[in-house]
Amino acid sequence: MTTADFEGAVSQFKDRVHSYARYMLRDAEEAKDVAQECLVKLWQNRDRIEPGPACRSWLLRSAHNLCIDRMRRRSIRGEVSHGDDAFEPVDPAPGPERRASSSQAGRLLEQALAGLSDRDRAIVLLREVERLPYEEIATLLDLNMGTLKATLHRTRDKLRRELVRAEAAP
Amino acid sequence: MIRKTDACAAMREEIHALFDEDGPISLPGPLREHLDACSACREFAGELGTLRSAFRELPSYPLPQEVLDEVRRRTIHAPTLSVVRSAPAWTRAAAAAVFATALIATTWIVTRPVPIDGGPTDAELRHAEAQAELVFGYAARALDATRSAAAERVVASKVSPAVRGSNATAPPARRDGQ
C-alpha cells in the first residue's frame, strides 16, 4: 500500500471505523482513541495490506479487537456494563458531529442497539451496517456459521420489536 | 393452528434468509402465497423491511478533524528516523586524513619493489656506510671552510685596517691606567 493508497483508505474508511467504535464502546473519547489507533496501525502495517476491501476488513477487524480489549479492561475495572435489557439512550440530543440527515427511525435504532450485548451488537453492526460476509464475521468473532445466523436472526427480531414498540410510544 | 404456526416459523426463517442477501429482495412463489394468506407474516416482513431501512439511516459519527490531524502527524507527516547530524569540521578533516593515510599505506604495500635475493650483504652495507661517512666528512669540511671564508669577508668589509692592525699589535688601553 502506497502513501496515496493509505490516504485514500483513511479518507474512505475513517468515519466507518469511528462509528463502529462509537457504537461498540458508547464512549466518544474512547471511540476517537480506537479510530486513531486503527489508522496508525494501518500505516505501520501498510506493506502487508492491499488497498480496497481487504483494507476495510483489516480496519474493522482491528477496530473490533481494540474495542474488545477496552471492554475487557472496563469489566476488570468494575465499570458498569450495559446488560441485554438495559435500553439506555446514547447521546439523546444529537451533537454537531452526528449526521444531520439521520432519521427518527435511525435514532430509535441507535437506542435499541445500545441495549444489545456486546457480541450481538458486533454481529448486527458488522452484517447490517458494514455488510461483511458471514464467513469473515464468523472468523472475527470465533463463531460457527449456525450460531452466527441464529444470533443474527434473533437479534433482528429483538430490534424489530423494539422499533415497533418505540414508534408506537407517544 | 399448530401446523399454521410451524408454517409461519419456517416462512419467517425464509424471510430472514432473504434479508441476509444484498440487493433487492425477490419473493419465491411459496413464500408469496403464504404472505398473501398470512397477515401476521406479512406484517413481520414489513417490519423487517423497516428495520433494514433504519440501518441505512443509522446516525454516522464522522471522525473529528483533530483526530485526523493527529493521525496524519503520526503517519504520513511523521519525521523520519534517519536524522543526519552534521559532524564538526575537524572530525571530517581527521577522518579524511586517516583515510588518506590508509590509502597511501595500502598503495605502498601493494606496489613496493620486492627484493629478489634477500637484499645487500653485511660487507656491502659496511662499505656503503664507509662511503657515506666519507661523503659526509667532505661535506662537513667544505661547509666549515665556507663558513670561515664568509666570516673573514665580513670582518674585512666592516672593520677598518687600522683597528685590525692595533688589535694585532697591542692590547687595548685600560681606563684606570693599570
Side-chain angles (χ1 to χ4, degrees):
Chain A
M1 176 182 284
T2 63
T3 302
D5 291 333
F6 172 77
E7 287 189 277
V10 168
S11 172
Q12 191 175 357
F13 302 126
K14 62 183 171 54
D15 295 343
R16 300 176 76 159
V17 169
H18 181 242
S19 291
Y20 181 78
R22 183 71 183 256
Y23 279 114
M24 286 301 293
L25 295 168
R26 285 171 287 162
D27 183 290
E29 291 306 311
E30 284 198 299
K32 286 181 198 172
D33 291 346
V34 164
Q36 178 178 309
E37 198 172 339
C38 272
L39 297 173
V40 172
K41 278 187 173 182
L42 176 66
W43 172 258
Q44 291 165 347
N45 292 280
R46 65 190 182 280
D47 293 338
R48 299 190 289 110
I49 302 167
E50 292 294 318
C55 176
R56 187 194 63 156
S57 297
W58 190 94
L59 279 170
L60 286 171
R61 193 163 54 245
S62 176
H64 178 78
N65 290 332
L66 288 170
C67 289
I68 294 296
D69 286 347
R70 284 173 181 262
M71 288 188 284
R72 280 186 187 140
R73 267 182 265 158
R74 276 184 195 168
S75 65
I76 290 170
R77 289 197 301 262
E79 292 178 12
V80 177
S81 63
H82 299 264
D84 279 358
D85 299 326
F87 282 85
E88 294 184 24
V90 179
D91 293 348
E97 64 178 8
R98 294 173 67 177
R99 194 171 61 192
S101 62
S102 63
S103 68
Q104 175 69 10
R107 284 193 288 275
L108 290 174
L109 178 59
E110 183 180 15
Q111 292 178 25
L113 283 170
L116 298 177
S117 71
D118 296 334
R119 189 193 67 165
D120 292 356
R121 191 162 59 253
I123 290 173
V124 86
L125 284 172
L126 291 172
R127 180 61 199 162
E128 301 291 348
V129 179
E130 302 302 336
R131 306 304 296 176
L132 283 192
Y134 278 111
E135 293 77 12
E136 205 166 318
I137 300 171
T139 305
L140 178 58
L141 302 180
D142 196 21
L143 296 171
N144 65 49
M145 198 63 78
T147 304
L148 174 60
K149 286 192 174 182
T151 306
L152 180 63
H153 294 178
R154 177 176 52 76
T155 308
R156 264 194 206 139
D157 269 345
K158 187 172 184 175
L159 293 173
R160 175 185 63 82
R161 288 194 300 272
E162 283 303 319
L163 273 190
V164 170
R165 188 190 305 169
E167 285 177 342
Chain B
M1 186 69 183
I2 293 172
R3 288 179 66 186
K4 187 180 177 184
T5 306
D6 285 346
C8 287
M11 289 298 164
R12 289 180 186 195
E13 278 305 305
E14 211 168 308
I15 294 169
H16 268 301
L18 286 173
F19 275 93
D20 287 342
E21 303 294 328
D22 294 317
I25 294 170
S26 105
L27 296 176
L31 180 57
R32 187 181 294 114
E33 288 171 14
H34 179 83
L35 290 178
D36 287 344
C38 178
S39 62
C41 286
R42 206 165 46 244
E43 194 175 344
F44 174 83
E47 288 168 358
L48 275 188
T50 304
L51 178 64
R52 197 183 209 196
S53 301
F55 271 116
R56 285 198 288 266
E57 295 165 6
L58 202 58
S60 170
Y61 290 95
L63 189 67
Q65 186 60 42
E66 71 267 17
V67 180
L68 185 59
D69 292 342
E70 178 65 14
V71 167
R72 289 193 170 128
R73 195 185 63 75
R74 291 174 58 183
T75 56
I76 54 177
H77 296 154
T80 54
L81 293 175
S82 57
V83 177
V84 178
R85 298 179 64 188
S86 60
W90 68 267
T91 309
R92 291 198 297 271
V98 168
F99 175 75
T101 305
L103 185 66
I104 291 167
T106 306
T107 307
W108 179 78
I109 288 169
V110 170
T111 59
R112 67 180 169 152
V114 178
I116 298 170
D117 54 357
T121 62
D122 288 346
E124 287 171 336
L125 284 174
R126 278 196 297 275
H127 180 68
E129 188 179 351
Q131 284 183 328
E133 281 181 359
L134 190 64
V135 169
F136 285 141
Y138 281 132
R141 276 198 290 275
L143 186 63
D144 192 43
T146 305
R147 192 164 48 213
S148 297
E152 283 176 7
R153 180 170 292 185
V154 168
V155 169
S157 63
K158 299 291 181 186
V159 181
S160 69
V163 172
R164 271 187 284 155
S166 66
N167 277 348
T169 55
R174 297 178 66 173
R175 289 183 183 174
D176 56 1
Q178 291 179 357

